[in-house]
Amino acid sequence: MTILLTTLNARYAHASLGLRYLLANMGDLREQTSLQEFVIGQRSTDIVEKILAQRQPGEKLIVGFGVYIWNVVEITQVVAVLKRVAPEVVVVLGGPEVSYESGEQEIVRLADYTITGWGDVSFAALCRQILHGPQPLMKIHAGVQARLDELQSPYQLYSDTDIRQRTLYVEASRGCPFKCEFCLSSLDKTAWPFAIDAFLAEMESLYQRGARLYKFVDRTFNLNVKTSLKIMQFFLDKLEAAPHDPVFAHFEVVPDHLPEALKAGIQKFPAGTLQFEIGIQSFNPAVQTLISRKQNNEKAAENIRWLCQHSQAHLHVDLIAGLPGETLDSFAAGFDQLYALGPHEIQFGILKRLRGTPIIRHTEAYGLAFDPQPPYTILANKDVPFDYMQRLVRFARYWDMVANSGRFAHTLPVLLAESPFANFMALSDWLYANTDATHKIALDRLAALVTRWLVQERGLETAAVEALLASDYAGQEQHKQNGRKQRQLAEAAKSAEQRKTAPLPQRQARHLAA
């Protein structure tokens, strides 16, 4: 029997942690199991051809697909083609997208088996049953949650190519104690930590192999401060030992929990080595109560302000538009409040209905209407009609292009002035009216459009606006030069053998979400 683990990643640059956990825990089936990742945008027939090339003559082929909200449409197409040309191939599905409402999904109908929930040890167990019996098997299998100390570590399965070219996902804990109803982690009973010393030993092994970019998928990195400090110290020790070859760590943190010991550790990180993803989602207490989100808004705001003013961490802070009970006015007020705190990026998200999340309990009372196709984005609710929700979607896209890109650092404060949300919404509406596009707007054209808006709609002097944009351009050139210097330093720190053997990155591939 040949077993293949696969998925379609959103981009090439990040490697799948989930598939590597499955592979590490195949036990006696490990030697006959392989892993092959694809990227969204590849033709389904090409993917099927590569999958079938893994089949050994005369042997059964089992293919396990990791299915997520971002790849379910493409994987459904792949499975349909695969079953059409090779119906004897056994298809097993797993992942969050097929773990709930399984009976309603075309991909589940096409596949032979589906594992819901935990798959670390359940996939291998199902493969043994397929191979040895007993038969017949049920189509849907509930995954078994193994103890974390019983799992084999996946980190040795990151290849040298992964380490050179891709972001490495790691996790010091699983689960989440909070119950935010828009999130699948709300279904967890608590958070479970991995043994910290064993985990750090794995991180050390990755570091010695050349890993420098670590993205933690823990939902609540700063929940246990003692553990957080140990992990941070690991990275601080590396930075002190090799400042010319810096490591970079990304953590998701709880916004209202930042004790002094953690602040002291954070302040030691130099610029460009630490990033925090902080979920605010809403500053409206009534909305927070409605969606079971516990958050001390005053403390959260104080901590974000402190991080901006007293640390060099890069802050990526999330807001969600379309939550039940969130009015247009309250969302605008929350946006303005967050912008005033000074985070480097505001991730303006639109509510999505993840399968299995309890947010749907508000559907009738708040008139929640979601797109029936993935990623199930909200279309309207009783407080935000469809046409305004569309405006918010465009706002989010333009915000990424103008604000989060960092390309308009000097112009942005003038553009937003005293009413950030209202002014940017006005720009967003104007951009759409004048371009009918929210994608593929070249930077020089975007700069010209921003100039026109500031001059024509806001009444600023052309020379003053052009001076602002010129300073932005100069800043970008300096940023590029600094980036080149950092890359040169990192390259100089690598051995000649590493430089000689490192392949060029694949152009068609980008990001993977774990």
Side-chain angles (χ1 to χ4, degrees):
M1 178 174 65
T2 301
I3 304 170
L4 177 66
L5 291 163
T6 189
T7 193
L8 272 68
N9 301 330
R11 296 181 182 177
Y12 169 77
H14 296 187
S16 170
L17 179 60
L19 291 187
R20 285 163 177 77
Y21 262 112
L22 296 182
L23 183 57
N25 287 278
M26 290 301 291
D28 58 320
L29 300 177
R30 172 68 180 84
E31 291 302 316
Q32 60 203 85
T33 306
S34 60
L35 188 154
Q36 187 173 22
E37 297 169 275
F38 300 99
V39 181
I40 286 175
Q42 292 180 258
R43 294 195 307 172
S44 57
T45 49
D46 292 342
I47 293 172
V48 170
E49 181 181 16
K50 289 180 170 63
I51 288 173
L52 292 178
Q54 300 290 325
R55 179 169 48 181
Q56 300 299 316
E59 288 192 353
K60 177 180 291 187
L61 174 62
I62 298 176
V63 183
F65 287 92
V67 188
Y68 300 84
I69 194 172
W70 70 83
N71 66 15
V72 61
V73 172
E74 288 82 359
I75 292 185
T76 300
Q77 295 170 349
V78 170
V79 173
V81 173
L82 179 60
K83 296 300 283 186
R84 181 65 62 91
V85 300
E88 72 281 3
V89 172
V90 178
V91 173
V92 181
L93 308 177
E97 178 64 13
V98 295
S99 290
Y100 304 93
E101 306 170 18
S102 306
E104 303 174 11
Q105 300 186 56
E106 173 67 8
I107 191 173
V108 175
R109 185 191 69 79
L110 290 168
D112 296 282
Y113 306 106
T114 297
I115 297 174
T116 63
W118 307 89
D120 301 281
V121 298
S122 302
F123 178 73
L126 177 57
C127 288
R128 293 187 189 98
Q129 288 183 283
I130 294 170
L131 183 61
H132 302 297
Q135 298 283 357
L137 295 173
M138 296 177 62
K139 187 177 181 72
I140 307 294
H141 296 256
V144 174
Q145 182 180 359
R147 288 173 37 147
L148 297 189
D149 58 4
E150 296 174 348
L151 292 179
Q152 296 298 311
S153 167
Y155 300 113
Q156 73 277 8
L157 296 174
Y158 284 126
S159 68
D160 291 343
T161 300
D162 294 333
I163 290 173
R164 284 195 300 268
Q165 301 181 5
R166 309 169 87 181
T167 300
L168 304 186
Y169 282 107
V170 301
E171 57 175 359
S173 66
R174 287 187 179 180
C176 181
F178 302 108
K179 303 300 177 186
C180 309
E181 295 179 13
F182 53 82
C183 179
L184 271 173
S185 295
S186 65
L187 305 179
D188 296 331
K189 293 182 180 179
T190 185
W192 303 274
F194 286 88
I196 186 59
D197 291 337
F199 171 77
L200 290 178
E202 295 283 359
M203 298 303 99
E204 176 67 27
S205 177
L206 285 175
Y207 181 85
Q208 294 302 326
R209 292 176 58 200
R212 296 298 182 268
L213 181 57
Y214 299 77
K215 185 167 184 178
F216 281 71
V217 298
D218 305 52
R219 303 299 295 170
T220 50
F221 169 76
N222 56 330
L223 190 64
N224 184 321
V225 176
K226 289 184 179 179
T227 300
S228 302
L229 289 173
K230 278 191 173 184
I231 294 172
M232 291 173 65
Q233 191 60 50
F234 169 86
F235 290 104
L236 288 170
D237 289 344
K238 303 305 179 192
L239 290 166
E240 182 179 4
H244 60 283
D245 186 18
V247 290
F248 176 86
H250 171 106
F251 302 109
E252 184 171 340
V253 300
V254 181
D256 55 4
H257 185 58
L258 205 64
E260 292 302 318
L262 205 55
K263 288 181 178 179
I266 292 168
Q267 285 184 303
K268 296 176 182 178
F269 281 82
T273 63
L274 183 63
Q275 176 168 290
F276 288 142
E277 183 174 349
I278 302 174
I280 289 295
Q281 320 308 5
S282 173
F283 271 123
N284 187 329
V287 174
Q288 292 168 343
T289 299
L290 192 67
I291 62 173
S292 307
R293 180 174 180 80
K294 294 182 178 179
Q295 179 173 287
N296 183 325
N297 287 337
E298 182 177 348
K299 194 66 177 177
E302 177 186 321
N303 288 339
I304 293 173
R305 187 181 298 108
W306 183 89
L307 287 167
C308 291
Q309 296 176 355
H310 301 286
S311 83
Q312 298 190 77
H314 186 275
L315 302 190
H316 174 118
V317 187
D318 300 336
L319 284 180
I320 297 179
L323 290 168
E326 187 84 85
T327 66
L328 298 173
D329 289 342
S330 71
F331 183 81
F335 183 93
D336 288 351
Q337 181 180 352
L338 179 56
Y339 178 78
L341 297 176
H344 304 92
E345 294 182 44
I346 297 176
Q347 181 61 47
F348 189 121
I350 309 296
L351 179 65
K352 297 172 178 58
R353 188 190 77 82
L354 303 181
R355 292 183 185 272
T357 55
I359 195 76
I360 59 171
R361 73 187 183 94
H362 302 293
T363 298
E364 183 175 352
Y366 288 88
L368 307 184
F370 293 95
D371 191 328
Q373 299 300 317
Y376 317 115
T377 304
I378 193 164
L379 301 172
N381 62 35
K382 78 178 186 67
D383 294 303
V384 185
F386 174 71
D387 59 344
Y388 200 95
M389 197 72 77
Q390 289 295 98
R391 293 173 65 195
L392 290 174
V393 171
R394 291 191 288 270
F395 183 116
R397 177 56 186 159
Y398 292 132
W399 183 260
D400 278 343
M401 295 166 63
V402 175
N404 288 343
S405 69
R407 292 167 171 168
F408 297 86
H410 297 90
T411 306
L412 186 66
V414 175
L415 191 156
L416 300 180
E418 299 301 318
S419 302
F421 183 86
N423 284 333
F424 200 86
M425 179 59 83
L427 171 64
S428 175
D429 291 341
W430 185 89
L431 286 172
Y432 188 66
N434 283 271
T435 66
D436 196 32
T438 57
H439 294 79
K440 298 182 179 179
I441 301 177
L443 178 57
D444 56 350
R445 184 186 180 203
L446 182 60
L449 288 164
V450 170
T451 299
R452 280 179 55 197
W453 185 79
L454 286 171
V455 172
Q456 296 176 7
E457 304 298 318
R458 290 281 298 278
L460 276 67
E461 293 291 334
T462 301
V465 175
E466 290 178 346
L468 284 172
L469 290 167
S471 63
D472 285 331
Y473 178 79
Q476 290 172 47
E477 287 303 302
Q478 184 62 47
H479 179 73
K480 290 177 183 178
Q481 292 176 17
N482 291 339
R484 281 194 291 270
K485 290 178 181 178
Q486 289 181 351
R487 288 191 295 272
Q488 290 167 358
L489 287 171
E491 184 65 19
K494 295 179 181 178
S495 68
E497 183 63 24
Q498 283 178 312
R499 292 197 300 272
K500 182 174 66 176
T501 59
L504 292 172
Q506 298 181 26
R507 301 298 182 190
Q508 76 276 18
R510 302 280 172 92
H511 160 83
L512 160 80

